[in-house]
Amino acid sequence: MWSNSILWIKRRYHRIVNSIAFYPAFIALLFLVLSFGMIVFDFSEAGKQIKLTLSWLTLKDASTARSIISAIAAGVISLAVFSFSMVMIVLNQAASQMSNRVLDKLIGNRFQQVVLGIYIGTIVYALFLLSTIRDINSGVYVPALSTYLLIAITIFDIFLFIYFLHYITQSVKYEVIIQRICKETNAVLKRSCKLEKEEPETGPLQNDHHIHAVESGIYEGFNALNLVKLCDENDCSVYLMHVPGTFILRGLPLAQLSKPLPDEAREEMRKSIFLHDSETIEENFFYGFRQLAEVAIKALSPGINDPGTAIISLRSLFSLLTYRAHHFPENTIVNDKDQVRIFTNTLSFEKIFEHTILPIWSYGKNDRMIAWELHHLLAQLYVISPNASVKALLTEVKQVMVEHHLFKE
């Protein structure tokens, strides 16, 4: 129970940290603290001494300071609105021409969030500073050092805006987005598939003792440590019936048990099996394969008709398949005494190949560029991994190319 609570806290923490609002809010808070510290310093003895020593840092006219700060605040607000209106336009274009599933790769971009945070922070700094300027009987209360620092920050914002224009035009290129998906998928794939020799497939247990889903959702994995601990406590084994990424309806079996268990124990085990509303590559590397396949299929649709993007996706898919052909996930998880406690159900190389490459071929078999590229990639993959599914598709591609007079037997 305690480990599940820690896991829940971790998931909420990661959701907050990875949200688009976290970095802007955090940076804006830092600017608020900076503005307060600068105002205190401005009217400290050290600040007064600096202004006496460097007379050009002194502002004696409150209206001038207000005008400067007001102009900066208005200008940075316009800068922020223009910058992120452009980002929204680019995101909309990427979603319509590639896939909605790639938006998290763009929205979650840290640099964009930092830029937004600096803009908002500058605005917060300016507004807080503006509220401190007032005329009093003893003279004019003008935080000159804070105002000059605001001017310096604004100059930095202008140069940041120029770089941001360059960065956003580069980061939304289709090949950059595809490479980002491929890189993230490859990292999770290497973490999940460490074995160089394939383990024997595990089948369902020969009984009728199940753990059922209490809500519909996408199976994304399980808490291995907690599930092994529960199996040890109840001296049983669990067979997880579904591969990650499977949508499971409420009431259907999630897992099989090696023996009947009390309702309390089954409920604790069910909490260690994750059903979510959405998928992430971090939890399931196959989701990255599917994203790349979706991008290729969308690019080959009549409305888009962009075989070049489809070819880039195909190359990324085949680079991932090459690794998967020689590295395999664990089908079993053991406890400290080397007793098998968890049997998992994983996607084989053949299933991944059929679920990703075959749909792309179905959409693009009449496109000569796709036919040539697939023939080239399949021939190389077959040399690396002489698989029956690869050979069958290679033969089919050759036949289509012969029919279109693109290939001579």
Side-chain angles (χ1 to χ4, degrees):
M1 182 66 182
W2 177 244
S3 60
N4 283 331
S5 299
I6 293 176
L7 185 66
W8 183 87
I9 293 171
K10 285 183 178 179
R11 293 191 65 85
R12 292 300 180 276
Y13 167 78
H14 285 298
R15 181 175 294 180
I16 292 171
V17 170
N18 293 324
S19 69
I20 192 173
F22 177 77
Y23 279 91
F26 181 72
I27 294 172
L29 181 62
L30 291 180
F31 269 82
L32 182 62
V33 173
L34 174 64
S35 63
F36 178 78
M38 279 301 302
I39 291 169
V40 171
F41 175 74
D42 220 314
F43 296 100
S44 66
E45 291 302 321
K48 291 177 181 177
Q49 187 62 40
I50 291 173
K51 286 185 282 188
L52 286 173
T53 306
L54 303 173
S55 58
W56 57 273
L57 286 178
T58 304
L59 279 175
K60 296 182 179 179
D61 186 1
S63 61
T64 301
R66 289 194 189 99
S67 298
I68 293 172
I69 298 170
S70 300
I72 288 175
V76 176
I77 289 173
S78 300
L79 201 65
V81 170
F82 175 79
S83 298
F84 288 90
S85 295
M86 183 178 64
V87 171
M88 291 301 109
I89 293 171
V90 170
L91 291 178
N92 182 61
Q93 182 179 0
S96 62
Q97 295 194 3
M98 296 185 74
S99 171
N100 286 328
R101 257 70 62 188
V102 305
L103 285 182
D104 60 334
K105 299 293 175 298
L106 299 172
I107 294 174
N109 187 293
R110 288 283 180 266
F111 179 73
Q112 295 176 15
Q113 295 175 13
V114 170
V115 171
L116 179 59
I118 292 174
Y119 286 164
I120 294 174
T122 305
I123 296 166
V124 169
Y125 184 103
L127 295 177
F128 187 79
L129 184 60
L130 188 63
S131 67
T132 65
I133 300 176
R134 63 183 68 90
D135 296 310
I136 57 177
N137 295 331
S138 59
V140 180
Y141 194 78
V142 181
L145 296 179
S146 302
T147 303
Y148 282 115
L149 177 61
L150 176 62
I151 294 171
I153 293 173
T154 305
I155 294 172
F156 173 77
D157 286 354
I158 294 171
F159 284 103
L160 183 65
F161 172 71
I162 296 171
Y163 178 74
F164 181 74
L165 290 178
H166 167 75
Y167 178 84
I168 197 65
T169 55
Q170 298 299 313
S171 64
V172 298
K173 287 182 177 179
Y174 295 157
E175 56 265 30
V176 174
I177 298 173
I178 291 170
Q179 288 170 7
R180 196 176 297 161
I181 298 171
C182 182
K183 184 178 180 180
E184 184 178 351
T185 304
N186 189 50
V188 180
L189 184 64
K190 288 181 177 180
R191 196 164 62 242
S192 304
C193 303
K194 297 179 179 179
L195 302 180
E196 296 184 0
K197 185 178 180 180
E198 188 173 11
E199 293 182 339
E201 288 189 14
T202 57
L205 303 175
Q206 302 301 317
N207 59 54
D208 220 9
H209 312 305
H210 294 99
I211 299 173
H212 294 84
V214 297
E215 58 182 0
S216 299
I218 302 170
Y219 169 62
E220 281 282 275
F222 56 95
N223 185 342
L225 293 176
N226 197 45
L227 201 54
V228 168
K229 180 182 176 182
L230 291 170
C231 287
D232 286 339
E233 291 175 356
N234 294 277
D235 190 24
C236 69
S237 299
V238 175
Y239 171 69
L240 300 168
M241 303 170 62
H242 306 282
V243 297
T246 304
F247 183 80
I248 302 170
L249 294 174
R250 177 182 178 182
L252 292 182
L254 281 172
Q256 281 184 302
L257 299 169
S258 60
K259 68 177 187 180
L261 293 179
D263 291 342
E264 294 80 5
R266 285 190 295 170
E267 177 63 18
E268 286 298 314
M269 288 186 175
R270 185 195 61 77
K271 290 178 181 178
S272 297
I273 302 172
F274 307 141
L275 291 182
H276 300 149
D277 296 329
S278 58
E279 297 180 78
T280 61
I281 297 176
E282 185 67 26
E283 298 287 345
N284 172 25
F285 65 82
F286 181 63
Y287 184 55
F289 281 85
R290 283 218 320 270
Q291 281 191 342
L292 292 171
E294 286 180 13
V295 170
I297 292 170
K298 188 71 173 286
L300 292 173
S301 65
I304 306 299
N305 192 23
D306 183 10
T309 298
I311 288 173
I312 297 172
S313 292
L314 273 173
R315 290 171 179 172
S316 297
L317 279 170
F318 272 84
S319 67
L320 295 171
L321 285 167
T322 301
Y323 181 86
R324 179 61 181 84
H326 295 288
H327 297 83
F328 309 93
E330 293 180 338
N331 290 334
T332 57
I333 298 177
V334 299
N335 61 8
D336 296 336
K337 299 177 180 178
D338 287 334
Q339 295 174 311
V340 178
R341 289 306 191 188
I342 302 174
F343 299 91
T344 61
N345 195 355
T346 58
L347 275 174
S348 64
F349 171 85
E350 289 79 8
K351 290 294 184 183
I352 296 174
F353 181 85
E354 292 169 1
H355 290 170
T356 55
I357 304 301
L358 293 185
I360 298 174
W361 172 239
S362 296
Y363 275 83
K365 62 175 56 179
N366 294 322
D367 189 289
R368 296 191 175 198
M369 292 177 65
I370 297 298
W372 274 114
E373 190 66 26
L374 256 181
H375 177 268
H376 173 68
L377 293 171
L378 286 167
Q380 293 184 75
L381 184 61
Y382 187 69
V383 172
I384 296 171
S385 176
N387 184 277
S389 299
V390 177
K391 183 178 180 181
L393 183 58
L394 180 59
T395 302
E396 183 181 342
V397 172
K398 284 182 178 180
Q399 291 174 351
V400 171
M401 293 178 72
V402 169
E403 292 173 4
H404 289 81
H405 308 288
L406 299 176
F407 188 83
K408 293 183 179 180
E409 293 185 305

